[in-house]
């Protein structure tokens, strides 16, 4: 599902005299259906950068970045949009929402984008919001004023409402209490059981040990570490 080969990444700082910094060299990894891997490595090692490349937000200078057979290095923007709509889910660390849109619609949106009947989409959104313990009176409100942990759960609900075959999870349990953390880990386990391939960043070691099959230390892809 995920397949990276020999990927290199540099950033050019145009507003700082065009300084070029090389942050990744020879990065390779592959993740099969039903497998969950954790990206590890010290702060600044390149975990988030790698995840942004896998979502097509950052381009790579060399190598291939394939997700479900689509090479993100060469893909047209509309191919990437389609991949994100149908195949590749992403739970970012922070929820970005349009003000005034009710929580129920925020969560139903990925299904509506796929053409699912609006009533069915809202029903499924309700099921997952209930599972994640978001109080029903909040469903009609915009999540903009929600607590950090509530916003994170809305974000997770959005990422899991459609059964994406591939998922990228950036710190999905970071600001949750024990009970909700357990719900989220259960969602991850269920996704694996239905065959989803998952790449996550988990600072919570216990969570990582419970759901991840392997760890990939991105320090090994860092030119600084190799030098
Ligand atoms: N947009 C950017 N422009 C320039 N440099 C960047 C950019 N994004 C990341 N970097 C650099 O790339 C390196 C890797 O950063 P990255 O955010 O991927 O680290 P990380 O492993 O996610 O760290 P953390 O655990 O602190 O989140 C850092 O040296 C960072 O300064
Ligand atoms: Mg990061």
């Amino acid at each position: 599902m995920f397949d990276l080969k020999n990927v290199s990444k540099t950033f050019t700082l145009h507003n700082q005299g065009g300084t070029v910094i090389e942050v990744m060299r020879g990065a390779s990894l592959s993740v099969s259906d039903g497998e969950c891997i954790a990206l590890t490595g010290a702060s600044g090692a390149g975990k988030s950068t790698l995840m942004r490349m896998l979502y097509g937000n950052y381009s790579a200078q060399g190598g291939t970045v394939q997700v479900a057979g689509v090479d993100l290095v060469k893909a047209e923007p509309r191919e990437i949009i389609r991949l994100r709509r149908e195949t590749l889910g992403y739970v970012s660390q922070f929820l970005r929402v349009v003000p005034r849109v009710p929580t129920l619609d925020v969560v139903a949106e990925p299904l509506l984008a796929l053409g699912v009947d609006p009533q069915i989409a809202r029903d499924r959104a309700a099921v997952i919001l209930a599972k994640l313990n978001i109080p029903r009176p909040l469903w009609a409100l915009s999540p903009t004023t929600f607590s950090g942990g509530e916003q994170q759960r809305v974000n997770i609900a959005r990422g899991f409402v459609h059964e994406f075959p591939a998922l990228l999870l950036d710190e999905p349990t970071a600001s949750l209490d024990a009970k909700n953390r357990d719900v989220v880990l259960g969602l991850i386990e269920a996704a694996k059981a239905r065959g989803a391939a998952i790449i996550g960043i988990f600072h919570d070691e216990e969570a990582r040990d419970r759901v991840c099959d392997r760890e990939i230390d991105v320090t090994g892809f860092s030119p600084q570490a190799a030098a």
Side-chain angles (χ1 to χ4, degrees), residues 103 129-130 132-141 146 150 153 180:
T103 294
L129 282 168
L132 285 158
N133 300 302
I134 301 291
R136 190 177 283 264
L138 298 183
W139 298 358
L141 308 177
F146 288 8
E150 285 169 344
R153 279 177 282 144
N180 283 305

Side-chain angles (χ1 to χ4, degrees), residues 16 71 75 83 98 158 183 223:
Q16 292 186 64
D71 183 354
L83 183 77
V98 187
R158 256 179 80 88
V183 174

